[in-house]
Amino acid sequence: MGIKSFIHRVKSGVNNTSSGLFASAMAIDLGTANTMIYESDRGIVLEEPSVIAIERSSNNVIAVGSEAKAMLGRTGRDISVIRPLKDGVIKEATATMAMLRRFFEQAQTKRFTMRPRVLVCVPSGITEVEVNAVRTSLERAGAREVLLVPEPLAAAVGVGLPVEAAIGNMIVDVGGGTTEVAVISMSSIAADSSIRVGGDEMNDAIIDHMKRMAYLLIGERSAEAVKMSLGSLLEDDQRETEISGRDAASGIPKTYTVKAGQIREALREPVDAIRKAVGHGLEKTPPELVRDIVNRGIVLTGGGSLLRGLDRILTRETGLPVRIADNPLSCTVLGAGIILTDLFRYRKLLLD
């Protein structure tokens, strides 16, 4: 069933979550780093890392989510720990399907007798091939029908921006695999800029920096932990912490004291890419909408928005007020949930 025929059913049939039409419906933020699932009458029912552990010899699923993430870098030869999404899109289709199937099982209650109808958030710069991969993976995981909404539009609804009004609203969503910059007006994206740079690239930059400057080899989990504890773009941040890894020359384990200034230097390249993407988004924006943004400012969402000082960097770069959303991690799935409860009203936000 296509979007038009589905919307016709909503308009002429039933339009509430207690109906049979919505008895099994969920919104999904399928992120590179984390997956979140929302059900209209229960709220957010699942928030797990987008990670799956598979036994190589049998292809059996060993674990998903937090349990699988804890295995990163710690498994034997017979277990493969996979992050099946990269840069906001599906990299490993079979692993994604298996992971989603487990997530569906965890999220759904026994009262559901129908396969779920799913509204999934996707990057605004997604290609047709990538769209097909998302649809196929969700359908094979158990979805009855798949609808798609661009992540910036869902995030804007989730933070309460007036997306339907003839007013320019600018949102910058810094996720695990992508940064989405969008100017939204009258239920559509008037200007955008999408780059495949986000929290994962920040982790990679820290790994490379520690290898190059301290001759220390660390893994992804250690890099993420350092980013969370010391990640800061503030010049006066003097904090430090210890990090353990392997000496790049001798191979012997060692502990190194890393300072916030070193992490700031490591993050310079991905942060510059985000800064330039915001500038490109503004350059594409029609003049009348720019005037609205001058008055209303820019809203930061996504896990990357919590990087200390990022809002100040963007304010200094653009001269515009920048604020971090009250719910930066969950606003995208919450917005998708709002859209899901009133699909006819928000039909213009959906991808065809």
Side-chain angles (χ1 to χ4, degrees):
M1 184 195 307
I3 290 176
K4 290 182 179 179
S5 59
F6 174 64
I7 294 299
H8 175 73
R9 285 182 61 189
V10 175
K11 183 178 179 182
S12 59
V14 194
N15 190 25
N16 61 73
T17 56
S18 63
S19 69
L21 184 62
F22 287 100
S24 181
M26 57 177 60
I28 300 181
D29 181 8
L30 183 59
T32 303
N34 296 290
T35 294
M36 302 181 75
I37 297 180
Y38 175 101
E39 289 179 4
S40 300
D41 56 346
R42 298 171 63 206
I44 296 174
V45 295
L46 181 138
E47 181 178 358
E48 290 282 355
S50 301
V51 185
I52 182 170
I54 297 174
E55 187 177 42
R56 295 179 190 271
S57 58
S58 64
N59 284 327
N60 290 332
V61 176
I62 303 299
V64 296
S66 299
E67 187 180 351
K69 185 176 181 179
M71 299 178 184
L72 278 170
R74 299 183 175 186
T75 61
R77 295 178 180 177
D78 195 41
I79 297 178
S80 177
V81 182
I82 302 169
R83 296 185 59 193
L85 290 101
K86 182 176 176 59
D87 299 334
V89 295
I90 292 172
K91 178 182 67 173
E92 302 274 357
T94 302
T96 301
M97 177 195 66
M99 180 185 73
L100 286 170
R101 184 173 291 158
R102 282 290 187 93
F103 286 162
F104 284 174
E105 292 172 356
Q106 293 176 19
Q108 288 184 298
T109 59
K110 292 181 180 179
R111 64 187 175 87
F112 284 138
T113 58
M114 301 171 63
R115 298 168 68 195
R117 176 174 287 112
V118 171
L119 173 63
V120 60
C121 307
V122 295
S124 59
I126 194 169
T127 67
E128 186 175 347
V129 171
E130 291 164 346
V131 164
N132 290 335
V134 171
R135 288 188 189 277
T136 300
S137 292
L138 282 164
E139 288 169 354
R140 290 181 177 176
R144 176 163 42 106
E145 183 177 359
V146 179
L147 304 174
L148 298 95
V149 61
E151 289 170 357
L153 293 176
V157 173
V159 300
L161 295 180
V163 297
E164 298 163 292
I167 299 172
N169 302 279
M170 188 168 192
I171 194 160
V172 179
D173 183 13
V174 186
T178 63
T179 294
E180 304 272 342
V181 180
V183 175
I184 300 162
S185 177
M186 299 183 67
S187 299
S188 66
I189 296 176
D192 66 348
S193 177
S194 178
I195 59 171
R196 299 198 170 185
V197 173
D200 284 355
E201 283 66 27
M202 294 181 189
N203 294 343
D204 290 343
I206 291 172
I207 292 172
D208 291 343
H209 185 83
M210 296 306 298
K211 180 180 180 180
R212 187 172 64 254
M213 303 303 296
Y215 301 102
L216 183 70
L217 302 179
I218 62 173
E220 180 184 341
R221 293 181 66 218
S222 296
E224 184 176 22
V226 170
K227 180 185 69 178
M228 298 290 288
S229 62
L230 286 189
S232 174
L233 306 179
L234 305 177
E235 297 287 344
D236 58 352
D237 195 331
Q238 302 298 319
R239 294 172 303 144
E240 60 183 41
T241 190
E242 289 188 342
I243 183 171
S244 297
R246 195 172 77 244
D247 188 283
S250 67
I252 297 175
K254 76 172 184 178
T255 299
Y256 179 83
T257 300
V258 59
K259 298 181 179 180
Q262 293 174 287
I263 302 304
R264 182 171 62 251
E265 178 63 28
L267 297 178
R268 185 183 302 276
E269 188 172 333
V271 169
D272 279 350
I274 293 170
R275 179 180 54 80
K276 290 176 182 177
V278 173
H280 291 156
L282 286 169
E283 289 170 3
K284 297 177 182 178
T285 305
E288 289 300 317
L289 296 182
V290 169
R291 186 171 66 177
D292 293 334
I293 296 168
V294 169
N295 294 328
R296 300 175 61 82
I298 300 171
V299 180
L300 278 178
T301 66
S305 69
L306 299 177
L307 179 64
R308 297 176 187 88
L310 180 59
D311 53 343
R312 298 189 193 181
I313 291 290
L314 295 179
T315 293
R316 188 170 64 200
E317 174 71 17
T318 64
L320 300 172
V322 178
R323 70 176 177 90
I324 301 171
D326 293 334
N327 51 351
L329 296 174
S330 60
C331 61
T332 300
V333 76
L334 290 173
I338 293 170
I339 295 168
L340 185 65
T341 60
D342 199 345
L343 279 169
F344 181 70
R345 173 183 173 181
Y346 292 110
R347 64 193 181 281
K348 293 182 180 178
L349 303 183
L350 304 180
L351 290 177
D352 290 330

